[in-house]
């Protein structure tokens, strides 16, 4: 089915480990985004991408790495996970810069 | 820089009563304003979008919002609340770089 899917939905890991969250969209949208959602903060932008091979930092990029070798995929990697990165992560995409963003169902990440 | 303030982290109304969720943005007029809704343990869904074509914007599920430049507000309303409206609502501003700036969210509680 068309849409945006995130995997895994739930992940538990330990501090210091590398974790990769996957995001895949079937609309061929140009823009893709990664957010984290924490209580009292709404959503905060981690990284975004305007097209394949083009990425840029958002509000809270430290500790995260992204890549976009293909238009449909936008993985987010935590190279050395810390407890402060425990959060719910949402991936989103939009057709163009000024269009509404469509969200995946999120990944709940717990770092022990 | 753009900012968004949602008044009230929790709003409680009786079923059938008017719903009013308040949102104020910073003084510079943003190109786009949105309301998103998040149902428990789900992703975010676009409720409505303001794009300067009309100050009163109608969205899904009977919600609407009015853009008031003089008050820098974009409040969300619904004439009659349903139990199914219980969710968290986010007011969002898109800045000139097409990045979304999120309010902290308001949880809507519907009393039977």
């Amino acid at each position: 089915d068309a849409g945006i899917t995130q995997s895994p939905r739930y992940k538990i890991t330990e501090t210091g480990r590398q974790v990769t969250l996957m995001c895949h969209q079937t609309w061929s949208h140009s823009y893709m985004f990664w957010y984290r959602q924490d209580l009292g903060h709404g959503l905060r932008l981690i990284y975004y991408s305007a097209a394949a091979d083009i990425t840029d930092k958002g509000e809270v990029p430290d500790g995260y790495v992204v890549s976009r070798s293909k238009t449909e995929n936008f993985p987010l990697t935590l190279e050395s996970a810390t407890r402060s990165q425990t959060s719910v992560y949402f991936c989103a995409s939009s057709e163009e810069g000024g269009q509404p963003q469509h969200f995946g169902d999120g990944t709940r990440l717990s770092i022990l | 820089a753009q900012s968004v303030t949602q008044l009230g982290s929790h709003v409680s109304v009786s079923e059938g009563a008017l719903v009013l969720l308040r949102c104020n943005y910073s003084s510079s007029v943003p190109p786009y304003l949105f309301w998103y809704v998040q149902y428990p343990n789900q992703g975010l869904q676009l409720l409505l979008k303001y794009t300067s074509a009309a100050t009163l914007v109608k969205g899904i599920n009977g919600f609407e919002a009015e853009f008031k430049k003089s008050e820098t507000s974009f409040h969300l309303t619904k004439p009659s609340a349903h139990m199914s409206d219980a969710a968290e609502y986010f007011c969002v501003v898109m800045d000139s770089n097409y990045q979304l700036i999120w309010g902290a969210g308001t949880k809507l509680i519907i009393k039977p």
Side-chain angles (χ1 to χ4, degrees):
Chain A
D1 291 338
I4 184 164
T5 55
Q6 292 183 236
S7 61
R9 288 297 313 277
Y10 303 91
K11 176 75 176 177
I12 300 174
T13 191
E14 297 175 339
T15 56
R17 296 206 179 234
Q18 183 179 78
V19 179
T20 297
L21 309 184
M22 305 301 293
C23 179
H24 174 79
Q25 53 105 353
T26 59
W27 292 303
S28 297
H29 283 173
S30 295
Y31 281 76
M32 295 189 75
F33 308 84
W34 273 107
Y35 295 91
R36 59 179 289 172
Q37 184 178 30
D38 305 290
L39 281 175
H41 286 280
L43 270 70
R44 292 182 291 177
L45 181 65
I46 303 171
Y47 271 95
Y48 69 100
S49 168
D53 296 321
I54 299 175
T55 63
D56 211 343
K57 296 178 180 179
E59 181 185 355
V60 288
D62 293 343
Y64 303 95
V65 174
V66 293
S67 62
R68 190 142 178 234
S69 57
K70 293 184 178 181
T71 299
E72 61 267 29
N73 296 323
F74 191 40
L76 175 74
T77 298
L78 289 65
E79 292 191 307
S80 180
T82 65
R83 289 183 181 166
S84 64
Q85 293 177 308
T86 291
S87 187
V88 181
Y89 291 84
F90 286 99
C91 179
S93 71
S94 66
E95 188 174 358
E96 297 173 358
Q99 296 301 310
Q101 295 177 16
H102 302 272
F103 286 80
D105 288 335
T107 294
R108 188 174 294 274
L109 178 62
S110 296
I111 299 165
L112 307 178
Chain B
Q2 284 285 357
S3 64
V4 181
T5 303
Q6 290 185 240
L7 300 177
S9 59
H10 294 77
V11 169
S12 180
V13 302
S14 297
E15 191 174 16
L18 171 72
V19 174
L20 170 61
L21 304 183
R22 300 177 186 273
C23 172
N24 289 89
Y25 59 90
S26 57
S27 58
S28 58
V29 178
Y32 303 107
L33 287 155
F34 308 88
W35 276 97
Y36 278 84
V37 60
Q38 185 177 28
Y39 297 100
N41 298 315
Q42 293 187 25
L44 293 113
Q45 182 181 4
L46 179 67
L47 210 51
L48 51 81
K49 171 184 177 182
Y50 166 75
T51 60
S52 76
T55 56
L56 185 62
V57 182
K58 293 189 183 300
I60 62 172
N61 301 335
F63 284 92
E64 62 182 33
E66 185 173 9
F67 174 72
K68 290 188 177 181
K69 184 178 178 180
S70 61
E71 299 177 7
T72 63
S73 69
F74 190 56
H75 301 333
L76 182 71
T77 61
K78 182 174 181 177
S80 177
H82 296 158
M83 296 300 292
S84 60
D85 294 327
E88 189 160 17
Y89 293 79
F90 293 91
C91 181
V92 186
V93 163
M94 180 177 283
D95 69 13
S96 55
N97 295 319
Y98 300 130
Q99 291 192 27
L100 297 186
I101 313 298
W102 292 74
T106 297
K107 284 192 176 171
L108 178 61
I109 301 162
I110 312 296
K111 297 178 291 186

